[in-house]
């Protein structure tokens, strides 16, 4: 795909979840489809007719096994935060239909026990997970998502600890 073709593509509507535990550490997981460090917070697409908060709770359960009744939705970003995929990834992801994602992010507090976390889901995306301080998260994220994650951390900073 040419650069002009990529820039003409829309963003995929998506949600992201910053899940924090009782001490304010953030849930992060290593992606299965990357050989190198590629950690991320849970995220995923919004299905047709689905509202963003419902999508966020569904994605959280699908990716982590954590049921919606074991989290408290604290707040959401006011605006959608976009990121562009590296151009070589555009044809490989989402059948080449999107240039990246436009995400609405939710801060959620985990109310349960770590034993509820199960990344061995029906369609697993992660190989391992941990709780980490938000400030360490940026060093683990793939470079093309760092600006998005920095914006999310800054937006939710006052609620983290």
């Amino acid at each position: 795909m040419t650069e002009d073709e990529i820039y003409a593509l829309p963003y995929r509507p998506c949600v992201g979840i910053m899940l924090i535990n009782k001490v304010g550490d953030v849930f992060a997981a290593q992606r299965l489809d990357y050989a190198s460090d590629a950690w991320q917070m849970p995220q995923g697409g919004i299905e047709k007719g689905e509202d963003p908060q419902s999508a966020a709770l569904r994605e959280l359960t699908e990716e982590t096994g954590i049921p919606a009744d074991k989290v408290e939705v604290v707040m959401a970003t006011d605006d959608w935060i976009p990121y562009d995929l590296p151009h070589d990834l555009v044809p490989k992801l989402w059948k080449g239909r999107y240039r990246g994602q436009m995400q609405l992010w939710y801060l959620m507090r985990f109310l349960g026990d770590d034993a509820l976390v199960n990344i061995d889901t029906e369609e697993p995306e992660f190989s391992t997970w941990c709780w980490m301080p938000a400030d360490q998260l940026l060093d683990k994220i793939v470079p093309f998502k760092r600006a998005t994650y920095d914006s999310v951390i800054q937006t939710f900073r006052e609620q983290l600890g």
Side-chain angles (χ1 to χ4, degrees):
M1 295 182 83
T2 68
E3 194 169 302
D4 287 342
E5 289 172 326
I6 291 170
Y7 286 127
L9 293 171
Y11 287 104
R12 178 178 180 244
C14 182
V15 291
I17 302 103
M18 177 180 266
L19 182 68
I20 57 173
N21 64 11
K22 293 171 181 69
V23 297
D25 286 340
V26 178
F27 178 95
Q30 167 69 37
R31 291 196 56 87
L32 271 173
D33 55 1
Y34 276 80
S36 61
D37 263 2
W39 292 73
Q40 71 176 48
M41 294 182 276
Q43 64 176 51
I46 300 171
E47 296 176 359
K48 188 173 183 165
E50 188 175 38
D51 71 89
Q53 183 169 313
S54 296
L57 291 166
R58 175 186 50 75
E59 285 291 338
L60 180 69
T61 301
E62 286 177 4
E63 295 185 4
T64 69
I66 297 171
D69 66 346
K70 295 300 181 188
V71 298
E72 169 195 3
V73 178
V74 178
M75 64 185 290
T77 54
D78 291 330
D79 297 313
W80 295 81
I81 303 170
Y83 74 81
D84 288 338
L85 290 168
H87 288 181
D88 64 311
L89 290 181
V90 172
K92 298 174 186 175
L93 298 176
W94 310 302
K95 300 177 184 172
R97 295 181 311 208
Y98 302 103
R99 68 187 276 187
Q101 297 195 96
M102 179 75 67
Q103 299 176 312
L104 191 64
W105 281 85
Y106 288 86
L107 176 65
M108 297 183 189
R109 188 174 320 281
F110 183 42
L111 305 174
D113 182 272
D114 285 1
L116 288 174
V117 177
N118 176 17
I119 59 171
D120 186 20
T121 61
E122 189 172 314
E123 295 180 35
E125 294 189 27
F126 305 125
S127 60
T128 191
W129 70 276
C130 68
W131 297 105
M132 71 173 65
D135 293 335
Q136 291 178 13
L137 189 57
L138 285 179
D139 292 334
K140 299 281 190 184
I141 302 306
V142 291
F144 65 90
K145 290 185 182 180
R146 284 195 183 126
T148 296
Y149 274 54
D150 186 49
S151 178
V152 170
I153 291 168
Q154 295 313 315
T155 300
F156 296 151
R157 173 139 335 262
E158 289 184 20
Q159 304 292 325
L160 297 181

